Structure formats: structure tokens, C-alpha cells
Amino acid sequence: MESDTQRIALGLRQRDVVVLKTLIEQYQFRLVRYLVSLLGRRDGVDDFVQETWLRVLERGASYDGHSRFEPWLFRVARNIAFDAMRKRPMFSLDSNEGDGIRSSSASGEPSPYMLAARTQDAERLAHSLQTLEPVYREALVLRFQEDLSLQEISVIVGAPVSTVASRIYRGLATLRPQFEGETA
């Protein structure tokens, strides 16, 4: 019996449009959410998402079907976003320049995280996540929002599992005082 990952790998090798359409329907929201959290802004994300799906179609044969599809997909999206930023630096991932992290426009509109927040705690968490260094924010989002394992995150970010675990620990350690201080 063929597993889902093997079916996806076969479909991508054959450039099966039905398989690609199914993948887009299944992963589009998560891909957008990941790229917004990675970049800290919404503008331009649709272009990266479209480029990601084109790359999946072009290079889908490189997905072997031995592991889950999500880490492979997120790695493709991450590489595209980083390549584009290297070619034409729009902002530094290590800074808050251009208000790209805190707002989605010059008018000060809330970021997509803030718009999606349904409770006061979710809003506080979304704001706090945006203040983290990008490597910590990315690790936390992949682990707790996308529910990926440390090994899968390691593949996506190209870092050892111990580094991923350290980034998650440090990210949580940075967030903890912000929440303990407000609840005390």
C-alpha cells in the first residue's frame, strides 16, 4: 500500500497537476502563515508563495517521499525568501526597520498576526513573537504553530537539531518574562 508521502513524491515526479492542486489546497494557508512569520510582514508574501509552488512543480522530483512533505515545502519557501532578500535587500531580518515587523503598512495597521489574534493572550503572544530575533521566532513558529519535530525544523533551517532546540529554548526564555510580568 502506497503512503501519502510516496503518492506525493510520485505525483511530483510525474508533474501531476491534480496532485499539485491538492497540495496547494492543503498547504496554502500554512505556507502563507509561515512566510508571514518568517518575514515579519504580509506584503510580498503572495509572490514568494507563488514562486514556491512553481519551484515545487519544477523540482518536485527531488522530494523522495521518505519523510513528511511539510519540511521539504517549508525549506523550498525559506530558500526562495532568503534568495530574494539577498538579491535585493528590502530590510534586515535582524532589525525592525521599515515597520515591516510591527505593521503591514505605513498607516500603522496591525500586522497579520494581530488581525488573526482572537483573544487578548493571542494578541500579546503575536506582538511578543514579532519582537523576537528572527531565528528564534522561526523556530517557535515551526515547532508550535506548524507542529513540526525538531528533526524536521533542522532540515528546514539547515542547522543541527541541538541548535534548533537551543533556539526554541532561548525564544521561550525571552518570551517568559513578558508574560510573567504582565500576569503578576
Side-chain angles (χ1 to χ4, degrees):
M1 184 173 187
E2 188 177 47
S3 73
D4 273 349
T5 57
Q6 292 169 338
R7 183 186 51 77
I8 292 169
L10 179 62
L12 291 176
R13 275 194 303 275
Q14 296 173 345
R15 292 182 167 220
D16 186 335
V17 177
V18 174
V19 168
L20 183 64
K21 183 179 177 185
T22 302
L23 291 172
I24 291 170
E25 289 171 1
Q26 185 174 356
Y27 293 105
Q28 181 78 0
F29 176 77
R30 290 179 65 190
L31 187 58
V32 168
R33 186 174 63 186
Y34 169 67
L35 285 168
V36 167
S37 68
L38 178 67
L39 299 171
R41 59 188 171 81
R42 177 67 172 98
D43 61 310
V45 166
D46 290 335
D47 294 334
F48 291 136
V49 169
Q50 185 176 14
E51 180 65 28
T52 299
W53 290 118
L54 288 172
R55 188 85 44 95
V56 166
L57 185 60
E58 291 170 358
R59 300 183 184 166
S62 68
Y63 174 64
D64 61 13
H66 294 297
S67 58
R68 289 180 30 189
F69 178 71
E70 295 97 321
W72 185 85
L73 176 66
F74 290 143
R75 178 69 182 226
V76 170
R78 182 180 199 268
N79 289 342
I80 288 169
F82 282 11
D83 286 348
M85 288 187 299
R86 276 192 289 271
K87 288 178 185 171
R88 55 182 169 97
M90 294 179 268
F91 67 96
S92 169
L93 283 179
D94 294 325
S95 74
N96 294 339
E97 293 175 10
D99 283 322
I101 290 179
R102 290 204 171 64
S103 66
S104 59
S105 73
S107 68
E109 293 176 331
S111 71
Y113 268 122
M114 300 304 251
L115 293 173
R118 298 284 184 233
T119 67
Q120 192 172 32
D121 285 340
E123 188 172 316
R124 282 180 30 218
L125 178 60
H127 174 70
S128 296
L129 277 173
Q130 294 303 329
T131 66
L132 288 177
E133 289 183 43
V135 294
Y136 302 136
R137 181 175 62 236
E138 179 182 33
L140 290 173
V141 166
L142 289 172
R143 178 66 187 108
F144 298 110
Q145 188 172 318
E146 297 303 331
D147 199 29
L148 298 177
S149 71
L150 296 179
Q151 293 78 11
E152 291 169 329
I153 298 168
S154 172
V155 169
I156 293 168
V157 302
V161 172
S162 59
T163 300
V164 170
S166 175
R167 288 175 183 175
I168 291 170
Y169 175 81
R170 288 183 181 159
L172 289 173
T174 302
L175 291 177
R176 186 172 289 117
Q178 293 177 31
F179 283 87
E180 289 175 350
E182 292 183 21
T183 59

